[in-house]
Amino acid sequence: MWFFLASEILFFGGLFTAYTVMRRLNPDMFALASFKLNAVMGGINTAVLLTSSFTMAMAVWAAQMHNQRLLRLFLGLTILFGSAFLVIKGFEWSEEYKHHLVPGSSFGYDEHGELHVNDKSGHHIDTQQLKGLQLAFVFYFTITGLHALHMVVGLVVLGVQWWFTLRYPRFGVEDYTPIEVSGLYWHFVDVVWIFVFPILYLLRT
Amino acid sequence: MAEHKPTSPTIYLGVYVSLLLLTLLTVWIASTFTLGSLEVPVAMGIASIKTILVGAIFMHLSHSSKLVWLSIGAAIVFLAIMIGIVMIDYNTRGWVPLRGEDPVIRGV
């Protein structure tokens, strides 16, 4: 599992490297992109995900204690908080869609073909700046999208394990390795978000 | 994944509360201060502390085998090489003028 996580570090690392280079080349527009994201929702989501990591750690503990009912409870809570994260993320994405911030041929333009993006002081930005801003949002949707995909994979794994605890009376508590391994994956996805959140939402200058 | 004494729930709870407080701290710093060039190091420093907490306690790295440490350490070293060398390249462009280069377009 750790070898897989090592490869995952470099997978997300490649994305962060590309982001860093592009931010270095378009500092103002990448800062504006952070400014336009909803840091309150991002912050709440960070707390939700940290909570799910805590319940996951408790699920491993319950497995080590040979208590399958507690294990099932904590797996269920982890799935619940993980799903809540994705729901909040979905609301954020739809908010950005409404503000014409999804990259594409009409990025920044409303239905009437008018440019609808202002900078921090409320002035319209020009088309050259719009390109930089669009690049920032390409990174935003790629990084958060791939992170969300990892969450979905984790939720499927945890869902199957939750179902196994119903089906097999000794699952997880006889040998806690399967729970430990899915926990490692879950915590890894949490760690990725620990970096994604400040990089995408908080760096505004 | 060797057998070891389970970490107590109190420690997990303490780590969880610390993680939430560190999240509040990084949001508070970002929304209150204009740090300029310190912004990135401060935000990444707090994220690193959070990562160490998750890794050491939640992921049981504090009592994992040397092989686990080696594999994860190697990934981090290679990540540092990747980001480090790429940024050394971008940050030093234009320091040394190339022959025949237009000085105006120098430095990306």
Side-chain angles (χ1 to χ4, degrees):
Chain A
M1 191 60 197
W2 280 102
F3 288 144
F4 170 68
L5 293 185
S7 79
E8 287 271 84
I9 286 178
L10 289 163
F11 169 75
F12 279 102
L15 280 172
F16 285 132
T17 309
Y19 178 88
T20 313
V21 169
M22 288 305 154
R23 186 168 187 132
R24 168 81 173 70
L25 299 178
N26 304 278
D28 296 340
M29 286 302 111
F30 272 61
L32 183 61
S34 295
F35 185 73
K36 288 189 175 296
L37 292 177
N38 192 333
V40 174
M41 273 171 124
I44 291 171
N45 240 353
T46 307
V48 169
L49 199 58
L50 290 173
T51 308
S52 80
S53 246
F54 168 64
T55 55
M56 187 69 232
M58 290 304 293
V60 175
W61 172 80
Q64 288 171 329
M65 292 288 120
H66 312 289
N67 187 333
Q68 206 191 29
R69 287 181 64 183
L70 265 183
L71 167 64
R72 194 181 305 135
L73 170 74
F74 281 119
L75 280 181
L77 284 172
T78 308
I79 294 167
L80 192 73
F81 286 114
S83 310
F85 176 93
L86 288 178
V87 170
I88 296 172
K89 198 75 218 126
F91 278 116
E92 270 187 72
W93 281 330
S94 78
E95 200 182 324
E96 282 127 21
Y97 175 77
K98 283 185 200 133
H99 289 95
H100 319 288
L101 292 172
V102 178
S105 57
S106 66
F107 178 80
Y109 289 89
D110 65 10
E111 310 78 54
H112 312 295
E114 291 206 31
L115 188 54
H116 238 282
V117 183
N118 296 332
D119 61 16
K120 285 177 196 171
S121 44
H123 300 80
H124 271 40
I125 61 173
D126 62 36
T127 49
Q128 193 58 38
Q129 290 175 312
L130 193 68
K131 281 183 185 169
L133 188 66
Q134 172 160 253
L135 185 62
F137 273 94
V138 167
F139 274 104
Y140 166 74
F141 281 105
T142 307
I143 292 175
T144 57
L146 282 167
H147 179 265
L149 184 67
H150 277 77
M151 297 275 304
V152 171
V153 171
L155 286 173
V156 169
V157 171
L158 294 179
V160 169
Q161 292 191 331
W162 185 84
W163 178 65
F164 275 5
T165 60
L166 286 175
R167 187 124 193 247
Y168 307 104
R170 283 141 71 94
F171 176 77
V173 291
E174 192 175 50
D175 173 14
Y176 70 90
T177 306
I179 312 294
E180 166 98 1
V181 167
S182 57
L184 287 177
Y185 177 79
W186 193 259
H187 296 311
F188 168 79
V189 176
D190 187 30
V191 164
V192 171
W193 184 259
I194 286 175
F195 281 97
V196 169
F197 173 61
I199 289 174
L200 291 182
Y201 290 76
L202 298 182
L203 304 180
R204 294 176 170 194
T205 52
Chain B
M1 256 140 277
E3 286 288 332
H4 50 72
K5 206 166 146 277
T7 313
S8 89
T10 328
I11 292 176
Y12 286 142
L13 192 64
V15 168
Y16 171 54
V17 172
S18 319
L19 289 169
L20 289 181
L21 290 177
L22 284 167
T23 305
L24 278 177
L25 179 70
T26 189
V27 172
W28 177 68
I29 289 176
S31 55
T32 315
F33 302 104
T34 313
L35 294 172
S37 60
L38 278 177
E39 192 181 29
V40 174
V42 168
M44 291 302 96
I46 294 175
S48 303
I49 297 170
K50 288 165 79 179
T51 299
I52 290 168
L53 280 174
V54 173
I57 312 296
F58 283 178
M59 298 171 92
H60 307 141
L61 270 177
S62 58
H63 41 249
S64 286
S65 68
K66 287 203 173 80
L67 182 64
V68 167
W69 278 86
L70 184 68
S71 66
I72 224 66
I76 292 168
V77 166
F78 279 110
L79 180 64
I81 290 173
M82 177 160 64
I83 295 180
I85 291 186
V86 166
M87 288 327 285
I88 286 169
D89 172 18
Y90 274 91
N91 287 326
T92 56
R93 286 192 184 189
W95 280 17
V96 182
L98 299 174
R99 188 182 302 188
E101 190 188 33
D102 182 349
V104 178
I105 59 163
R106 216 169 64 192
V108 190

